[in-house]
Amino acid sequence: MSDSAELIIEGKSYKLPVVVGTENERAIDISSLRAQTSYITLDSGYKNTGATKSAITFLDGEEGILRYRGYPIEQLAEKSSFIEVAYLLIYGKLPTTNELADFDKQIKEQLSIPEGVQKILSGFPTTAHPMGVLSALISSLTAFYPESLNPNQPKDEVNNNIVRLIGQITTIAAAIHNHSSGSVSSAPNSNIDYCANFMSMMFGGNNSEYEVSPVVVDALNKLLILHADHEQNCSTSTVRLVGSSNASLYTSISGGVNALWGPLHGGANQEVIEMLEAIKADGGNSKKWIEKAKDKNDPFRLMGFGHRVYKNFDPRAKIIKAACDNILSNLGIKDQALDIAKELEEAALTDPYFVDRKLYPNVDFYSGIIYKALGIPNEMFTVMFAIGRLPGWIAQWKELHEQKEPIGRPRQIYTGENERDYVAIDAR
Ligand code: CMC
């Protein structure tokens, strides 16, 4: 196959190099296009634009493939733990027993949050959405660890920032939940699994008898693994873009949290459960809601359906659907929301509107049902996604710096007014 592409503009031919990835993905390198031709490329929503070369995650939306550092998501979800996957994403290889134990220890030494962060939290209204608070508190870490502001820190110090954030995000998230619900936060316990400690900080403060079941720990590990990275999506691209200005790790991740919050991205998990509850309250008629989703005059979309890159199925949704059945039966929970979700899925998968547009359930269609079964309130669902996505964001931020990428700065086609003279206010 050719290693260059030919572009003909106004009868003149230009050669542009072709870049080939390890999975034979092909791109035309247009970085010299403007210098050669004065043209730019236009691709609203970056639907077909590669923003970087990355060795972290491979995704094939047509085939439904997702691999972290080459390892299939199905194997990682079944056999690995969230902390092991975090190590894999950030450092590029599966850890040895000693490496994993050391990484885990470093994270657990960093579970306590500064008193000042707790004080800032106490100033937020208890009704504040947890995602806004999470973003603010992560950004506030720059004040408590000012050395993190220097993008050219030695490797060990960058690593300190990394493990600190992985440790503290769970304590911050549990503190946010306890602040909104008026509950007492229990102190972090570094002697138990990362997910078990998170659940006990969430729910153990008011209940000294609280014990985290292994089924719950297993479910949470799986969910976090499935969310851990997803190449250049909206929040990850935000992290890379913010990081490209040499903003600190905490600032860049705080930006990622904000991007994730939107209902078209990570916020969909909260929207899905609210949609299922609304359908239930409305009498459970899924057909009526399918019709609403198809109606172009109705802004309603079937939340948890469709994906920018998966056009056959979302491999994460397949794993989550099976996990959801398993967890509900293990915990002895019967949830009508699950029946409605299954009905919606069945109806949508046979409806030409959804079939023609290749709209399938995505990772968020079932994740909310699991979070609900674990006792996590709806408004915390997207925070759970953020905890899961954190290692991916960190890995992408680290890679950006290791590859010494330039500051991100897209161009535009201007469609506004041509030059005109200022008009005084009384003459308008
Ligand atoms: N319900 C009804 N119609 C839909 C839906 C939906 N959920 N998603 C897409 N469509 C229609 C859309 O109206 C358009 O129709 P037409 O061609 O007639 O104008 C067509 O399908 C293509 O949609 P699009 O908005 O151009 O596709 P996109 O790639 O820009 O958007 C998406 C992808 C995920 C934002 C969108 O499918 C959506 O809004 N889904 C619901 C929100 C959701 O579940 N988001 C979570 C994504 S997974 C978690 C994550 O990784 O972020």
Side-chain angles (χ1 to χ4, degrees):
M1 232 180 264
S2 168
D3 57 2
S4 73
E6 186 184 5
L7 180 68
I8 299 170
I9 304 177
E10 292 163 18
K12 199 167 167 209
S13 156
Y14 301 91
K15 279 225 155 38
L16 295 167
V18 165
V19 179
V20 185
T22 48
E23 290 288 342
N24 209 25
E25 293 170 296
R26 305 180 88 79
I28 300 169
D29 178 350
I30 53 94
S31 50
S32 68
L33 182 69
R34 187 177 153 85
Q36 284 195 66
T37 66
S38 84
Y39 278 69
I40 63 164
T41 55
L42 182 63
D43 179 19
S44 182
Y46 311 120
K47 289 196 175 193
N48 196 37
T49 293
T52 189
K53 291 182 203 161
S54 177
I56 302 169
T57 289
F58 173 69
L59 193 166
D60 182 330
E62 277 71 36
E63 298 295 326
I65 294 172
L66 175 63
R67 297 183 201 133
Y68 300 158
R69 303 282 188 186
Y71 298 102
I73 190 66
E74 293 78 6
Q75 292 181 22
L76 293 170
E78 193 193 328
K79 298 178 180 160
S80 189
S81 70
F82 177 60
I83 293 299
E84 186 181 46
V85 166
Y87 185 101
L88 170 70
L89 285 167
I90 296 168
Y91 303 109
K93 67 179 206 65
L94 284 171
T96 61
T97 310
N98 285 346
E99 284 165 340
L100 182 59
D102 187 45
F103 183 57
D104 192 54
K105 180 166 166 276
Q106 287 180 49
I107 291 169
K108 286 179 174 161
E109 282 168 358
Q110 299 279 358
L111 291 170
S112 296
I113 55 177
E115 215 184 303
V117 171
Q118 194 69 52
K119 278 195 185 143
I120 299 173
L121 172 61
S122 66
F124 277 95
T126 52
T127 50
H129 194 286
M131 283 297 275
V133 185
L134 180 68
S135 162
L137 295 186
I138 290 178
S139 194
S140 82
L141 294 179
T142 54
F144 299 96
Y145 307 102
E147 68 283 3
S148 66
L149 289 170
N150 173 9
N152 302 314
Q153 279 182 306
K155 224 170 152 185
D156 279 358
E157 289 183 25
V158 172
N159 205 46
N160 279 344
N161 296 331
I162 290 175
V163 290
R164 182 187 294 132
L165 190 51
I166 299 176
Q168 291 198 8
I169 195 172
T170 49
T171 316
I172 291 176
I176 294 172
H177 163 68
N178 287 314
H179 175 66
S180 354
S181 60
S183 317
V184 182
S185 266
S186 66
N189 179 353
S190 55
N191 296 321
I192 52 177
D193 167 271
Y194 181 83
C195 293
N197 170 54
F198 171 66
M199 291 302 279
S200 79
M201 287 191 294
M202 286 280 287
F203 303 112
N206 281 357
N207 174 7
S208 54
E209 308 282 284
Y210 182 80
E211 261 189 48
V212 195
S213 117
V215 176
V216 170
V217 173
D218 185 55
L220 207 47
N221 264 292
K222 222 185 245 353
L223 275 168
L224 298 185
I225 290 171
L226 292 175
H227 284 91
D229 195 48
H230 212 232
E231 53 117 299
Q232 309 310 315
N233 55 81
C234 176
S235 57
T236 301
S237 299
T238 301
V239 169
R240 285 187 93 119
L241 199 55
V242 177
S244 77
S245 73
N246 276 348
S248 78
L249 175 68
Y250 301 149
T251 322
S252 308
I253 301 289
S254 169
V257 170
N258 286 323
L260 186 74
W261 188 0
L264 299 187
H265 190 13
N269 57 14
Q270 180 182 338
E271 300 276 331
V272 169
I273 205 83
E274 287 172 0
M275 173 187 81
L276 295 175
E277 278 160 5
I279 297 176
K280 188 163 108 184
D282 188 46
N285 182 353
S286 21
K287 292 242 158 56
K288 173 178 156 192
W289 290 75
I290 296 266
E291 290 311 312
K292 265 169 82 62
K294 288 158 56 177
D295 181 355
K296 292 288 172 204
N297 297 315
D298 189 327
F300 174 74
R301 277 191 167 197
L302 201 53
M303 298 313 287
F305 258 76
H307 200 275
R308 170 60 64 77
V309 289
Y310 291 123
K311 298 301 176 197
N312 272 320
F313 66 95
D314 178 341
R316 304 167 301 171
K318 250 190 176 174
I319 302 170
I320 280 200
K321 188 180 175 185
C324 189
D325 280 334
N326 188 22
I327 289 152
L328 294 192
S329 74
N330 265 313
L331 296 178
I333 297 174
K334 175 94 190 76
D335 190 340
Q336 202 200 334
L338 182 64
D339 299 333
I340 294 175
K342 284 184 174 162
E343 269 174 47
L344 273 181
E345 183 179 349
E346 240 176 74
L349 292 182
T350 50
D351 188 306
Y353 174 94
F354 292 89
V355 175
D356 293 351
R357 290 172 180 75
K358 298 186 187 298
L359 300 171
Y360 298 86
N362 59 49
V363 68
D364 284 329
F365 194 62
Y366 285 103
S367 65
I369 298 175
I370 305 184
Y371 290 137
K372 196 173 155 216
L374 303 187
I376 292 165
N378 294 3
E379 291 214 325
M380 285 292 290
F381 288 2
T382 316
V383 170
M384 301 305 297
F385 192 152
I387 296 174
R389 183 56 54 88
L390 182 63
W393 286 335
I394 293 173
Q396 303 268 351
W397 181 90
K398 188 165 161 277
E399 183 180 69
L400 161 91
H401 285 289
E402 285 163 358
Q403 293 182 169
K404 299 197 186 331
E405 287 183 19
I407 185 167
R409 204 300 184 189
R411 288 186 177 265
Q412 64 165 18
I413 294 293
Y414 175 68
T415 58
E417 299 287 347
N418 294 119
E419 184 178 358
R420 49 185 172 163
D421 286 328
Y422 177 77
V423 180
I425 195 158
D426 54 1
R428 283 174 217 162

